[in-house]
Amino acid sequence: MKLTKDKFKEDYQRLLTELYSLDIKDSEVSEQYFTLGNLIRTYASNDWKNTNESYLKKGEKQIYYFSMEFLLGRMLKSNLLNLDILEVVQKGLQEFGIHLENLIEFEVDPGLGNGGLGRLAACFMDSMATCAIPGHGNGIRYKYGLFKQKFVNGYQMEIPEHWLRNGNIWEVRRLNKAVTVRFYGNVWLENSSGRLVPRYENEEAVLAVPYDTPIIGYNEQTVNTLRLWSAEMHPQDESHEYGAFLKQQSQIENISEVLYPDDSYYDGRLLRLKQEYFFVSAGIQSIIRRFKKKDLPISHLSEEVAIHINDTHPALCVPELMRILLDDEGMDWESAWDLTKKVLSYTNHTIMSEALEKWPIDMMSTLLPRIHQIICEIDQRYAADMRYRYDDHMIERTRIIEGGHIKMAHLAIIGSHSINGVAKLHTDILKEKVLHDFYLIFPSKFNNKTNGITQRRWLLLSNEPLRQFIDSKIGSNWEVNPTDLTNLKAFQNDEDTLFKLAQIKKLNKQRFADYVKRTMNLTLNPDAIFDVQVKRLHAYKRQLLNLLHILSLYFKLKENPNAYIYPRVFIFGAKAAPSYMYAKQIIKLINSVAHMINHDHHIGDKLKIVFVENYSVSLAERIIPAADVSEQISLASKEASGTGNMKLMLNGAVTVATLDGANVEIRDQVGPDNIIIFGLTDKEVYQYYHDGSYHAYDYYIHNPILHRVLNALIDGTIPGIEIEGQDIFDSLVKYGDEYFVLRDFEDYRLAQEKVDQIYRDTLRWQKMALLNIAGAGIFSSDYTVLQYAKEIWDVSAKSTQD
Ligand SMILES: *Cc1c(COP(=O)(O)O)cnc(C)c1O
């Protein structure tokens, strides 16, 4: 938008006084923050209104992205950037003596997601708005976001993150758009003039109240909506006796209280199923209500609406849409079923069996009796349809209900027209292994959409020095057309460019080192290699492999203080699910090793370990610009895509990687000389599974370095890990080493020696860094959502950039 500094200052001064009856000079950060937030909202409000109005036109297909998680991160700076008023506001505030940075830091980072899946949803929201795709988010307004992590004596402690305590300047409560969601009770079908209609009794009605957040596109016009639902007591129940009222109120508000803190793990608790149905039902009801404003017959729904299911958590969209079409709209089964499949599409995010959702039949039939009936009917019709084409085994393996459980992935696949994986390798594994039966039955439903990241948050906002530098080299068109970053390749042998790039990295490292000094009182050497592994803590991501390697370096230095090791700072950030004991033990181990190494005066600044507390989007924005090395070392086949890998390469880190997830595509972009690949391939992993021929113990016995490192876990070398050390040792040496840590150790160690070698040659290293930045454009989520729009949702985005 067009805004002069003087106009901004005038607006700001007036609003602050209106809101708080204060002069700017007497105001505090909180008042300054809320004033700016309010002002941003008024600046965006016309575009928001106009966007919404334009979306009511017939033929303007609307996309609804259903996700249990939206990990947005702070919004203040991102909104300023997307409105294109960041600089004006910064300067204007400066003249009032206000540092924008302080207002940015005041905002609580809303942690409404666990990790990659929720962050992907947030990147997609930003990209859909920017690409002028009519994309709406639909999710839950959790009162408490993901827990806040603290380390006490090296152990993870979880404390609640009450992110709404100071209010939320970005959301609008729309009570007039509330809908009712029903749970429990009895349901039966009655014949009413030749048609079966459901009758209900004794249900529990919950009021779903939407809170809308504007999602401002980086394009001067589009402002989309993220709609998050909050559970409240229904007004009809407020006449109950007071004690009963309070009890029921807290039971109902429970539904949108907490985000389940499990990442890539299925936890079959009743409240979670309630949450899933709650936001699915509320979302679909509001979609249908909006569709009706267009005054079209319901059979046109699939021309006007696409609903996307992000992982299986919203898979109840299938029976819920069926319910509305059958019961409320009076459609016949076949027509309703055709329409449902046309409207719905599904993204699979994992192949790991512990993450695959399946709900006990009893739980479903008690909590959602009508939905249960519909699922049974879908399942029976599916089995009957297939009977003539496939054998019984095939049908049993693929049907929805099996062994007293409802398989949500099967429901999502059968009930939608598209299923996609999130990286080429992942999609291939789905087709060939995990969902092979379905691939044989529905080959045309399967497609790949490799994940992406928004270059706005992950470069323009978080790495301003690099942004300016790139602009100075190739102009700024890459900001809206990120594959233009390949123009940087012209500078790959330009010494001046490469030295400048090194300077920028050093600046960012210094900035992060200052933060670590301030918050952890730990001094980092900014000339060391900053080696970063930030992501959820999970055995398959193999933070342990990283740690074992660090221990090997430590022992090498202990034996020979002059050993040829380039100084390194290892940076970790990771939360573990509170119930995931093994992951928490690994956190304790990393912290104990960090304590031992960081306090060893013989080591000095040759090795340091920084384990930041409470890894989150705002911490990621600090760490990633400072990374030299990106650790993407999951066991091949286990990481569906990864997006951290993309953020880090975009910021000029060199990746140490297994051929897993999108790492494979990163290698294809940068070429094998500009990424350091090691370890088993997915084929080799599957071969081991097939033969049962992996014997971790042999690696312990035969590799002396590994032997020494593993013994350190149990021989008292590392203080404070008596139990954890033994348990982790046993998991690797005795109990089969599920994720092949020992198998990949030597190869990883050699890959790390390569890092050490290459880094000594600044020009060579910076050339790799430059080529990583140059190759990162293709991973913009702008391209990803455009592909979804074209190939899955069947909409064409209006091009706003000419
Ligand atoms: C990007 C991101 C992730 C995902 O990281 P992966 O390395 O892809 O697992 C997790 N958490 C946060 C806060 C992120 O920003």
Side-chain angles (χ1 to χ4, degrees):
M1 66 177 284
K2 297 277 168 289
L3 181 70
T4 64
K5 190 178 67 190
D6 289 339
K7 173 76 165 64
F8 166 71
K9 286 176 68 180
E10 188 191 316
D11 292 347
Y12 189 78
Q13 193 154 27
R14 192 185 52 233
L15 186 60
L16 191 136
T17 305
E18 272 172 24
L19 288 173
Y20 297 105
S21 307
L22 283 176
D23 257 3
I24 288 186
K25 66 174 171 25
D26 301 319
S27 63
E28 293 181 5
V29 169
S30 61
E31 292 146 350
Q32 295 162 0
Y33 167 82
F34 284 111
T35 302
L36 183 56
N38 266 304
L39 201 52
I40 289 171
R41 264 184 47 194
T42 54
Y43 288 156
S45 61
N46 257 320
D47 284 342
W48 199 12
K49 177 179 74 80
N50 293 338
T51 302
N52 275 328
E53 280 169 10
S54 77
Y55 287 171
L56 288 173
K57 281 194 292 232
K58 287 192 178 81
E60 178 85 293
K61 191 170 187 180
Q62 303 297 297
I63 311 306
Y64 296 90
Y65 195 82
F66 277 44
S67 179
M68 203 78 178
E69 306 185 3
F70 287 91
L71 190 51
L72 295 174
R74 291 173 172 151
M75 304 286 282
L76 184 70
K77 194 175 181 188
S78 147
N79 283 339
L80 290 171
L81 176 83
N82 285 12
L83 286 169
D84 204 16
I85 56 173
L86 180 55
E87 233 171 286
V88 165
V89 166
Q90 191 154 26
K91 287 193 178 132
L93 289 173
Q94 195 73 47
E95 292 180 10
F96 289 130
I98 297 172
H99 296 290
L100 177 60
E101 202 54 38
N102 293 342
L103 308 196
I104 290 168
E105 290 289 318
F106 178 81
E107 184 170 349
V108 185
D109 187 343
L112 306 188
N114 273 287
L117 174 140
R119 184 54 231 173
L120 183 75
C123 282
F124 281 9
M125 291 307 299
D126 184 77
S127 285
M128 286 193 289
T130 296
C131 298
I133 295 169
H136 311 248
N138 188 75
I140 297 176
R141 180 179 178 270
Y142 302 103
K143 186 165 164 195
Y144 296 94
L146 188 57
F147 65 87
K148 202 176 198 165
Q149 179 194 53
K150 287 231 177 287
F151 295 142
V152 177
N153 197 14
Y155 291 99
Q156 169 174 300
M157 294 292 176
E158 302 97 27
I159 58 178
E161 174 77 280
H162 193 174
W163 70 286
L164 290 166
R165 183 176 289 134
N166 297 326
N168 172 6
I169 190 68
W170 309 117
E171 67 186 10
V172 184
R173 174 179 164 91
R174 297 199 196 275
L175 185 59
N176 58 321
K177 305 274 186 203
V179 299
T180 303
V181 178
R182 295 172 197 284
F183 297 97
Y184 300 109
N186 298 314
V187 63
W188 66 94
L189 298 176
E190 264 180 23
N191 202 323
S192 157
S193 47
R195 185 164 92 74
L196 286 177
V197 292
R199 300 280 178 231
Y200 298 88
E201 66 179 15
N202 298 330
E203 313 149 84
E204 177 184 292
V206 174
L207 194 68
V209 180
Y211 286 73
D212 288 351
T213 299
I215 304 291
I216 300 168
Y218 187 63
N219 67 6
E220 311 259 319
Q221 65 180 52
T222 310
V223 179
N224 282 341
T225 302
L226 171 61
R227 174 161 283 184
L228 300 179
W229 298 93
S230 180
E232 296 185 13
M233 193 140 172
H234 217 269
Q236 76 192 28
D237 297 333
E238 286 178 359
S239 58
H240 291 179
E241 178 273 323
Y242 199 59
F245 163 79
L246 287 181
K247 191 161 160 245
Q248 200 189 353
Q249 184 186 41
S250 86
Q251 242 191 34
I252 283 173
E253 291 180 358
N254 245 338
I255 295 174
S256 51
E257 200 98 339
V258 294
L259 164 71
Y260 277 93
D262 308 304
D263 193 68
S264 301
Y265 182 80
Y266 161 73
D267 180 12
R269 265 183 280 191
L270 179 68
L271 183 58
R272 171 78 174 196
L273 183 59
K274 259 186 158 172
Q275 290 185 330
E276 292 184 357
Y277 184 65
F278 172 72
F279 90 104
V280 159
S281 178
I284 294 187
Q285 288 184 60
S286 88
I287 290 168
I288 299 289
R289 184 175 55 197
R290 188 188 309 218
F291 167 76
K292 295 214 155 167
K293 288 197 185 158
K294 292 190 179 182
D295 231 350
L296 289 165
I298 192 72
S299 57
H300 285 232
L301 187 68
S302 61
E303 287 147 39
E304 303 288 334
V305 168
I307 298 175
H308 199 82
I309 302 174
N310 190 30
D311 211 331
T312 56
H313 320 135
L316 290 176
C317 279
V318 176
E320 176 65 4
L321 184 54
M322 282 298 285
R323 182 188 69 80
I324 290 175
L325 297 177
L326 295 167
D327 297 352
D328 299 353
E329 302 301 325
M331 288 182 99
D332 63 84
W333 183 279
E334 276 77 18
S335 312
W337 183 239
D338 272 355
L339 200 50
T340 295
K341 283 188 293 186
K342 277 188 193 149
V343 169
L344 298 178
S345 49
Y346 155 63
T347 296
N348 173 289
H349 282 271
T350 184
I351 62 159
M352 299 223 304
S353 54
E354 61 264 45
L356 296 179
E357 274 192 293
K358 51 184 198 317
W359 292 99
I361 293 268
D362 295 346
M363 202 189 271
M364 189 73 76
S365 63
T366 309
L367 184 69
L368 303 167
R370 180 64 183 136
I371 292 301
H372 169 249
Q373 284 179 343
I374 293 172
I375 292 173
C376 289
E377 183 73 21
I378 294 172
D379 178 59
Q380 272 157 26
R381 286 179 185 243
Y382 171 77
D385 272 3
M386 294 297 142
R387 192 138 299 143
Y388 303 99
R389 293 200 279 151
Y390 299 100
D391 66 32
D392 289 352
H393 298 295
M394 179 79 149
I395 296 169
E396 284 310 304
R397 286 197 305 267
T398 55
R399 64 189 298 171
I400 298 164
I401 301 177
E402 195 234 8
H405 284 86
I406 296 167
K407 294 179 171 170
M408 300 297 266
H410 295 196
L411 179 63
I413 294 166
I414 292 169
S416 47
H417 68 276
S418 166
I419 156 170
N420 73 281
V422 290
K424 282 181 190 149
L425 177 68
H426 170 60
T427 302
D428 287 343
I429 292 173
L430 290 179
K431 288 190 206 173
E432 282 157 33
K433 304 270 180 198
V434 185
L435 300 175
H436 184 63
D437 290 332
F438 282 115
Y439 181 57
L440 293 177
I441 300 172
F442 307 118
S444 65
K445 286 192 188 187
F446 283 75
N447 64 94
N448 176 249
K449 297 287 169 282
T450 300
N451 281 169
I453 56 166
T454 165
Q455 68 276 19
R456 287 164 292 282
R457 182 172 295 268
W458 297 111
L459 208 170
L460 305 195
L461 283 188
S462 54
N463 198 344
E464 280 167 42
L466 184 58
R467 174 200 188 174
Q468 279 169 20
F469 177 66
I470 297 172
D471 285 355
S472 76
K473 290 292 164 193
I474 60 170
S476 61
N477 199 50
W478 66 273
E479 295 178 6
V480 287
N481 194 13
T483 47
D484 279 3
L485 283 171
T486 52
N487 293 333
L488 284 172
K489 285 186 185 171
F491 298 92
Q492 60 179 294
N493 295 315
D494 181 56
E495 295 196 1
D496 187 53
T497 303
L498 298 176
F499 280 122
K500 193 78 207 306
L501 199 58
Q503 275 173 12
I504 290 169
K505 184 58 80 181
K506 173 118 181 246
L507 188 81
N508 287 327
K509 286 160 75 174
Q510 186 62 59
R511 201 174 141 253
F512 180 65
D514 293 344
Y515 172 80
V516 169
K517 181 74 196 169
R518 204 163 64 237
T519 54
M520 303 174 73
N521 194 27
L522 189 66
T523 307
L524 305 181
N525 168 13
D527 289 317
I529 301 172
F530 278 27
D531 184 323
V532 171
Q533 188 172 21
V534 286
K535 48 184 75 251
R536 279 303 280 260
L537 211 134
H538 215 296
Y540 83 82
K541 291 178 183 277
R542 300 202 294 191
Q543 280 93 351
L544 255 187
L545 181 57
N546 191 345
L547 189 79
L548 295 184
H549 167 250
I550 296 170
L551 280 171
S552 77
L553 293 180
Y554 178 65
F555 295 135
K556 193 166 165 184
L557 279 171
K558 291 302 272 185
E559 275 155 34
N560 172 13
N562 298 317
Y564 190 67
I565 290 176
Y566 201 90
R568 269 210 228 200
V569 174
F570 291 94
I571 298 160
F572 290 92
K575 290 181 183 176
S579 63
Y580 189 175
M581 289 310 152
Y582 187 60
K584 292 178 111 173
Q585 290 187 315
I586 293 171
I587 287 180
K588 169 62 179 167
L589 177 62
I590 297 173
N591 275 325
S592 296
V593 171
H595 192 268
M596 174 179 78
I597 294 180
N598 294 346
H599 290 83
D600 188 329
H601 297 296
H602 301 292
I603 297 298
D605 61 9
K606 286 195 187 127
L607 285 185
K608 281 274 176 292
I609 302 179
V610 181
F611 196 157
V612 296
E613 275 176 347
N614 201 41
Y615 181 59
S616 54
V617 172
S618 38
L619 261 172
E621 290 168 21
R622 283 185 184 279
I623 296 169
I624 289 170
D628 292 307
V629 175
S630 163
E631 299 281 348
Q632 307 301 334
I633 60 178
S634 54
L635 176 65
S637 78
K638 293 296 180 281
E639 187 75 88
S641 165
T643 50
N645 47 4
M646 300 166 184
K647 299 167 197 166
L648 282 150
M649 85 183 283
L650 179 63
N651 283 271
V654 173
T655 313
V656 174
T658 50
L659 285 174
D660 200 13
N663 299 347
V664 178
E665 288 155 78
I666 291 176
R667 182 200 57 180
D668 293 347
Q669 284 305 312
V670 302
D673 293 342
N674 300 298
I675 184 169
I676 296 168
I677 299 288
F678 75 97
L680 293 171
T681 63
D682 64 304
K683 299 269 183 316
E684 290 165 335
V685 171
Y686 276 105
Q687 192 62 45
Y688 271 122
Y689 291 154
H690 182 78
D691 308 340
S693 61
Y694 176 49
H695 303 294
Y697 185 77
D698 296 348
Y699 293 85
Y700 169 60
I701 292 301
H702 292 120
N703 182 330
I705 296 176
L706 193 51
H707 196 84
R708 170 76 184 89
V709 164
L710 288 167
N711 282 349
L713 301 181
I714 52 172
D715 66 8
T717 306
I718 307 163
I721 55 148
E722 286 67 30
I723 295 169
E724 296 78 17
Q726 185 71 53
D727 284 356
I728 291 168
F729 177 91
D730 288 349
S731 76
L732 297 174
V733 176
K734 260 169 91 179
Y735 300 130
D737 182 16
E738 189 177 353
Y739 296 103
F740 297 82
V741 173
L742 306 193
R743 171 65 180 79
D744 274 348
F745 176 81
E746 187 58 19
D747 209 10
Y748 180 62
R749 202 181 63 74
L750 295 173
Q752 288 290 13
E753 278 189 354
K754 229 157 125 185
V755 169
D756 181 295
Q757 280 303 321
I758 300 172
Y759 195 84
R760 291 163 197 266
D761 179 349
T762 301
L763 284 176
R764 170 131 185 248
W765 184 269
Q766 291 303 329
K767 178 176 175 176
M768 290 172 79
L770 183 87
L771 291 172
N772 270 273
I773 301 167
I778 193 90
F779 299 108
S780 166
S781 47
D782 294 357
Y783 300 125
T784 315
V785 297
L786 286 168
Q787 278 178 2
Y788 273 83
K790 187 157 169 266
E791 296 166 21
I792 298 179
W793 303 328
D794 196 26
V795 286
S796 53
K798 290 187 300 276
S799 175
T800 53
Q801 292 124 23
D802 24 65

